[in-house]
Amino acid sequence: MAVTVPTITTADELLHMPDDGMRHELVRGKLLTMTPPGAEHGRVAVTVGGLLFIHARKTGSGVTVGETGFVLARDPDTVRAPDAAFISKERAETIGRTPKYWPEAPALAVEVISPDDTYREVRDKAFEWLAAGSAIVLVVDPPKRTATVYSAEDNTPHVHSEWDTLDLSDAVPGFSVAVAELFA
């Protein structure tokens, strides 16, 4: 049976696309469909998001979101959805609540590697977040139990083992976390 796939080229079209049960992102005006992530991916994503949420609530430094669309570019549009993200209090107050996609990159974007992700795809996505304005991109690799930090201040990715502590305060004021906690 033939299935008609809508032509989606803008963030607004993506936002109003009928729910087909799949995850979608828009990359330079082209619809990208992804399979739902596995259980380990979801567990780690919730753990990281939870740690960020607790810190943001305790300090009042901003808000955390998960699987939220962020507009990274226009004409052609790019809308990406990290596994977790942090938006500073200042930006959250300036932009306010919106039912649409967040109109800019978050201060921190977190990507949890899925088994079918390639190193190049993840690296390219991290640099895309940075180019759009994120201060830090954290790439978490559950099988290797590592976390790689990409920073707008330094073009060199830094890989951290589970015995290391991450200082992410350039994106999330006062936030540091042991890599092992991401996998707890």
Side-chain angles (χ1 to χ4, degrees):
M1 176 169 140
V3 177
T4 304
V5 177
T7 302
I8 305 292
T9 62
T10 69
D12 286 337
E13 290 170 335
L14 178 63
L15 184 65
H16 295 100
M17 183 177 145
D19 185 3
D20 63 0
M22 298 298 288
R23 292 180 60 223
H24 301 284
E25 291 181 336
L26 190 63
V27 180
R28 292 177 289 287
K30 295 186 190 293
L31 188 65
L32 178 66
T33 301
M34 298 156 292
T35 58
E40 181 66 4
H41 177 282
R43 188 184 69 74
V44 171
V46 166
T47 300
V48 176
L51 292 167
L52 284 168
F53 176 81
I54 290 167
H55 176 79
R57 271 287 170 99
K58 184 170 69 172
T59 63
S61 57
V63 297
T64 57
V65 295
E67 297 295 331
T68 297
F70 290 85
V71 177
L72 303 186
R74 291 280 189 186
D75 197 24
D77 290 3
T78 294
V79 177
R80 293 287 200 171
D83 295 303
F86 174 85
I87 301 165
S88 72
K89 179 180 179 179
E90 174 187 278
R91 298 307 302 151
E93 288 175 350
T94 298
I95 293 170
R97 293 177 183 250
T98 178
K100 296 184 176 190
Y101 297 124
W102 194 255
E104 62 188 26
L108 171 70
V110 179
E111 297 286 352
V112 178
I113 295 178
S114 296
D116 60 342
D117 288 339
T118 68
Y119 172 79
R120 182 180 180 152
E121 288 171 335
V122 173
R123 182 202 63 212
D124 290 353
K125 196 172 185 181
F127 283 119
E128 188 174 18
W129 284 112
L130 294 175
S134 291
I136 292 178
V137 179
L138 179 64
V139 175
V140 183
D141 189 338
K144 292 183 181 176
R145 297 182 66 85
T146 61
T148 303
V149 175
Y150 293 79
S151 169
E153 298 295 317
D154 179 4
N155 277 337
T156 305
H158 296 278
V159 180
H160 300 271
S161 74
E162 63 185 309
W163 297 280
D164 295 331
T165 297
L166 303 174
D167 178 0
L168 303 175
S169 58
D170 284 348
V172 183
F175 186 65
S176 64
V177 63
V179 173
E181 281 189 69
L182 305 179
F183 307 105

